[in-house]
Amino acid sequence: MVLPLLARARCARTALLLALGACASTSPTTRRMPSSPATTALPQTRAERTSYRETSHYDDVVAFIDSLQALGAPMWVTSIGKTTEGRGLPLVVLSRPLVTTPAQARRLGRPVVYVQANIHAGEVEGKEALLALMRDLVFDPHPNVLDSVVLLAVPIYNADGNERFAPQETNRTEQNGPELVGTRANAQGLDLNRDYVKAEAPETRASLAAFNTWDPDIFVDLHTTDGSYHGYALTYAPSLNAAAVFGGVYARDSLLPELRRRMRERDGFEIFDYGNFGGNFDAGFQRESLTDTAKSGWFTYEPYPRYGTNYYGLRGRIAILSEAFSHDPFERRVKSTYAFVHEILTLAAERGAEIVGLSQRADSTTTAWGREPAKAPKLPLRSEMTKTPIQEDVIVEQLVRTGDSTRTQPGVPPGIRRTGRFLTERMPVYDRFTPTLERSLPYAYAVPASEADALRLLRLHGIVVERLTRDWSADVELFTIDSVQTAPRAFQGHYTEQLAGHWQTAHRTLPAGSYVVETAQPLGILAFTLLEPESEDGLVTWNVFDHRVSPGAVFPVWRVEEPISAARRAVGVSQ
């Protein structure tokens, strides 16, 4: 089924794509790719049809999906929601047997893997790789990963940004093709990969609703890095937030090392933990001297849950960031991303019971901690880059300075030339964070009815919120604000804030109509991260409580330090 919002001019687009692209599919040159029947003519992506000179427009993506359905592809097509400009965001569900609902997926007892591409619409290889992989899997007559996992594919998440095509020199200055790409931001000017806490974009709200509905065991977010010059086709990261104590730890210590080995041995691609030389979080530039590079080390990015993979780890699930190497040619970036996603699916299929069991343990353990907080470990609210990095060999490309102010290579800044010569250098790798502030879980949080924005966001995130139907007195902890630190510059339309203060115990009456959020629920750690006043990236950070935040004021959300015995009713979860 295709919802009406995806069906505009559907027949015309399908006919066009079939006419232009109906030829044998071209798979990346890897050892373990799905094999399509040689006698079947299958559509190609726009990237394939143009020999990787161009990337798909929104209509190309929808037409490609339509054409697969027109050929009888056994897949379920729906939408997670609409963009600001009204474009539907396709969600394609693939499995054998085919499922069309979350309940059917759960009955299969398999891992549900959610793969999202194009959150930054200039970073286009994920979109092309995911479309090609969908085609190759669904028409493969042999047993493949679809017999063991449920794949949820969202190939064009930032659909509005995708349509703002401009030369790469404008939209992605440090990327090696294609010539025209979309923008990083969505139509509102928001970076969707900084929006997962505040959820201001319709795309983010649609994504959260899909998470709440399907509850994927693995979330994969496909990007392109544009920082340091290294020797890796792709870099990756698990959830980096120190409170991602279930899926984050499993991905870092077990899943990703095996993916790295398989990518090298089975697919011919060297991959490594995401990072840059020198510690610049969002971009890195290496000095000419390898000695200087080695001294500085290899640094990952920030652990904040505003980023999708960090956020998803707080839901107790596995999250994987994929960053293709922007300085590789476009075709190679597509093929390395294709191979990486396929290897994730293969490993998920092999470890299906283990991964599903991990999700179940995360839910039951978090719920048990909320029921008996005294038996739970303290959880991180703030963290810092580790001071004890691992020493590892990192592949470094040698660069030379040209003394020229013109650009001499695609995607390479003026005055620099790549040599194609690589050295392996031993250096400290800073790829994780250690807590600097930890707090215990309370039994619950009490939120006054006046905090409508906070309550709306909690429900959007899928957190269970209840409302007291009568007055109730309890021991609570109150946070008195000593100082408010406000960022000097706006970021994503906000002057972010951090609070310092002190706690005191009191006995208070919660009037009927007050809202309570128990931590004895699967998303208890996420609720803790969002609601604690000292959180490094919670609701306070994004100004949700600004009308109640000032030195000397008592923070409006109270920590409840005893089990809730009062009558209450659930107010629902955003679906």
Side-chain angles (χ1 to χ4, degrees), residues 104-153:
Q104 292 172 353
R106 283 190 286 271
R107 283 196 290 270
L108 289 179
R110 302 173 180 175
V112 176
V113 184
Y114 185 109
V115 184
Q116 170 180 285
N118 217 51
I119 188 170
H120 294 149
E123 304 171 18
V124 293
E125 44 282 297
K127 172 181 57 179
E128 306 297 346
L130 187 54
L131 290 173
L133 182 59
M134 286 164 40
R135 173 200 62 207
D136 294 348
L137 287 172
V138 80
F139 284 115
D140 183 4
H142 306 102
N144 67 37
V145 295
L146 296 185
D147 298 295
S148 302
V149 304
V150 175
L151 172 59
L152 308 179

Side-chain angles (χ1 to χ4, degrees), residues 3 10 33 93 121 234 253 256 266 366 485 495 558:
L3 295 184
R10 187 174 166 202
M33 294 300 145
V93 183
L234 183 146
D253 295 344
L256 289 170
R266 307 202 310 192
T366 302
Q485 181 180 350
Y495 288 88
W558 302 345

Side-chain angles (χ1 to χ4, degrees), residues 76 105 121 145 260 266 280 283 305 321 353 468 470 479 496 502 506 519 572:
W76 177 258
V145 295
R260 182 176 170 184
R266 307 202 310 192
N280 188 347
L321 172 71
L468 299 181
R470 62 177 177 82
F479 183 79
T496 58
H502 60 278
T519 58

Side-chain angles (χ1 to χ4, degrees), residues 507-529:
H507 193 77
R508 291 287 187 270
T509 296
L510 280 65
S514 297
Y515 292 86
V516 290
V517 178
E518 291 188 288
T519 58
Q521 59 174 296
L523 296 181
I525 293 175
L526 178 60
F528 167 85
T529 303

Side-chain angles (χ1 to χ4, degrees), residues 174 225-232 235 274-280 282-287 293 297-299 325-327 394-397 399 418:
E174 293 189 30
T225 186
D226 59 358
S228 300
Y229 293 84
H230 52 68
Y232 302 104
T235 51
Y274 175 81
N276 282 296
F277 301 117
N280 188 347
D282 278 331
F285 179 73
Q286 64 215 62
R287 291 172 281 271
T293 300
W298 180 259
F299 293 79
F325 186 44
S326 68
H327 306 298
V394 180
I395 303 173
V396 183
E397 183 175 7
L399 306 175
R418 298 180 64 187

Side-chain angles (χ1 to χ4, degrees), residues 234-315:
L234 183 146
T235 51
Y236 57 79
S239 178
L240 297 174
N241 193 279
V245 294
F246 299 105
V249 173
Y250 178 82
R252 185 189 66 219
D253 295 344
S254 179
L255 196 68
L256 289 170
E258 177 61 14
L259 283 170
R260 182 176 170 184
R261 185 191 68 79
R262 292 186 182 196
M263 283 287 284
R264 177 192 302 117
E265 297 178 2
R266 307 202 310 192
D267 305 298
F269 293 112
E270 285 289 345
I271 66 174
F272 196 66
D273 291 277
Y274 175 81
N276 282 296
F277 301 117
N280 188 347
F281 280 123
D282 278 331
F285 179 73
Q286 64 215 62
R287 291 172 281 271
E288 286 184 78
S289 167
L290 281 175
T291 301
D292 287 344
T293 300
K295 285 179 180 176
S296 61
W298 180 259
F299 293 79
T300 191
Y301 73 107
E302 300 152 311
Y304 304 146
R306 65 190 67 166
Y307 297 90
T309 49
N310 293 337
Y311 166 83
Y312 204 72
L314 296 177
R315 298 178 71 100

